[in-house]
Amino acid sequence: MLRAPTSRTSIVTLLAFISILPWLTHSAQTSYVQEACSVTLHPDLCIRSLSPFSSTAKRSPTKWARASVSVTITEAKAVARFLVRLKNNRRMKGRNRAAVSDCVEVFEDAIDELHRSLGVLRRLSRSKFDAQMGDLTTWVSAALTDEDTCVDGFEGERGRLVNLIRNRVVKATYITSNALALVNKLAASGFETAPNL
């Protein structure tokens, strides 16, 4: 004969469920970012940089594209500040100094292009969606080209500072590449999946 659960059994069951609830929530959020980042060339970096957006972006290609462009702007600005400090303290000489100056310029251009992209992502419309996606792809691609141009300026150069610059800029190119992949995913998904903004 089965007995009705005691209140103690019910409490234990409830406490067990409550204890695994954060894990279930975290697991769902982890799967959202993994799913979004699966289209990128650098998924591990994508997951690390975008995981804070999981609970709000969920399965929205629009929100993931917006988050990735926003993260890219933050990274590009950090690299630009770093490059300006190097340029101003005159530690770089000769060809490397010229390369740093060029990098400052191309990063300013990249930041402008990324800001334009974020502006478009904030006001997507059904009637202009295809044109907006064309602009977004062009601008994020141009930002990536700008960053690559910076790296090219140090080709064949060696040294601790050059390696530090190269590593910072390459990380920015990877984050930008991920943003471009997520913009392309949004373009392929179409406006129907975009939430009302």
Side-chain angles (χ1 to χ4, degrees), residues 12 31 37 41 52-53 62 69 75 109 118 120 126 128 137 164 172 178-179 182:
V12 169
S31 72
C37 291
L41 292 176
F53 300 93
T62 301
V69 170
E75 183 68 22
D109 291 343
L118 190 58
V120 169
R126 181 183 306 280
K128 299 176 185 173
T137 304
L164 182 60
N178 287 344
L182 290 167

Side-chain angles (χ1 to χ4, degrees), residues 19 21 26 43:
S19 71
L21 193 57
H26 175 74

Side-chain angles (χ1 to χ4, degrees), residues 58-71:
K58 296 185 178 165
R59 288 202 165 95
S60 167
T62 301
K63 289 181 180 178
W64 283 118
R66 194 187 310 165
S68 67
V69 170
S70 182
V71 164

Side-chain angles (χ1 to χ4, degrees), residues 137-196:
T137 304
T138 299
W139 294 332
V140 178
S141 295
L144 183 56
T145 300
D146 288 335
E147 294 162 358
D148 281 335
T149 300
C150 173
V151 174
D152 293 344
F154 295 97
E155 193 170 330
E157 296 296 309
R158 301 206 185 289
R160 189 184 63 78
L161 205 49
V162 169
N163 287 338
L164 182 60
I165 294 167
R166 192 177 285 123
N167 290 341
R168 293 285 303 266
V169 173
V170 166
K171 181 183 177 195
T173 66
Y174 288 176
I175 290 174
T176 308
S177 166
N178 287 344
L180 181 58
L182 290 167
V183 164
N184 286 332
K185 182 178 183 178
L186 170 59
S189 300
F191 187 78
E192 296 307 314
T193 60
N196 295 328

Side-chain angles (χ1 to χ4, degrees), residues 1-184:
M1 186 169 167
L2 293 174
R3 289 192 300 187
T6 64
S7 61
R8 182 181 175 134
T9 306
S10 298
I11 291 171
V12 169
T13 305
L14 180 62
L15 289 175
F17 178 73
I18 289 171
S19 71
I20 65 165
L21 193 57
W23 179 83
L24 291 172
T25 304
H26 175 74
S27 180
Q29 290 175 359
T30 301
S31 72
Y32 290 140
V33 72
Q34 287 172 338
E35 181 183 318
C37 291
S38 67
V39 299
T40 67
L41 292 176
H42 311 284
D44 291 342
L45 180 59
C46 179
I47 290 167
R48 279 197 311 274
S49 61
L50 295 182
S51 61
F53 300 93
S54 286
S55 61
T56 54
K58 296 185 178 165
R59 288 202 165 95
S60 167
T62 301
K63 289 181 180 178
W64 283 118
R66 194 187 310 165
S68 67
V69 170
S70 182
V71 164
T72 303
I73 290 170
T74 301
E75 183 68 22
K77 283 181 175 179
V79 173
R81 284 191 301 272
F82 166 71
L83 293 167
V84 166
R85 280 195 309 271
L86 279 180
K87 179 183 169 188
N88 291 341
N89 79 9
R90 305 194 187 293
R91 287 177 63 191
M92 306 295 283
K93 303 289 182 203
R95 179 180 167 204
N96 288 340
R97 182 168 173 72
V100 168
S101 287
D102 291 344
C103 281
V104 169
E105 284 182 38
V106 297
F107 263 85
E108 286 172 1
D109 291 343
I111 291 165
D112 287 344
E113 288 150 354
L114 292 165
H115 273 296
R116 275 194 298 246
S117 301
L118 190 58
V120 169
L121 283 165
R122 288 180 173 152
R123 58 181 192 283
L124 291 175
S125 76
R126 181 183 306 280
S127 62
K128 299 176 185 173
F129 185 76
D130 290 340
Q132 289 173 320
M133 289 298 102
D135 288 343
L136 279 170
T137 304
T138 299
W139 294 332
V140 178
S141 295
L144 183 56
T145 300
D146 288 335
E147 294 162 358
D148 281 335
T149 300
C150 173
V151 174
D152 293 344
F154 295 97
E155 193 170 330
E157 296 296 309
R158 301 206 185 289
R160 189 184 63 78
L161 205 49
V162 169
N163 287 338
L164 182 60
I165 294 167
R166 192 177 285 123
N167 290 341
R168 293 285 303 266
V169 173
V170 166
K171 181 183 177 195
T173 66
Y174 288 176
I175 290 174
T176 308
S177 166
N178 287 344
L180 181 58
L182 290 167
V183 164
N184 286 332

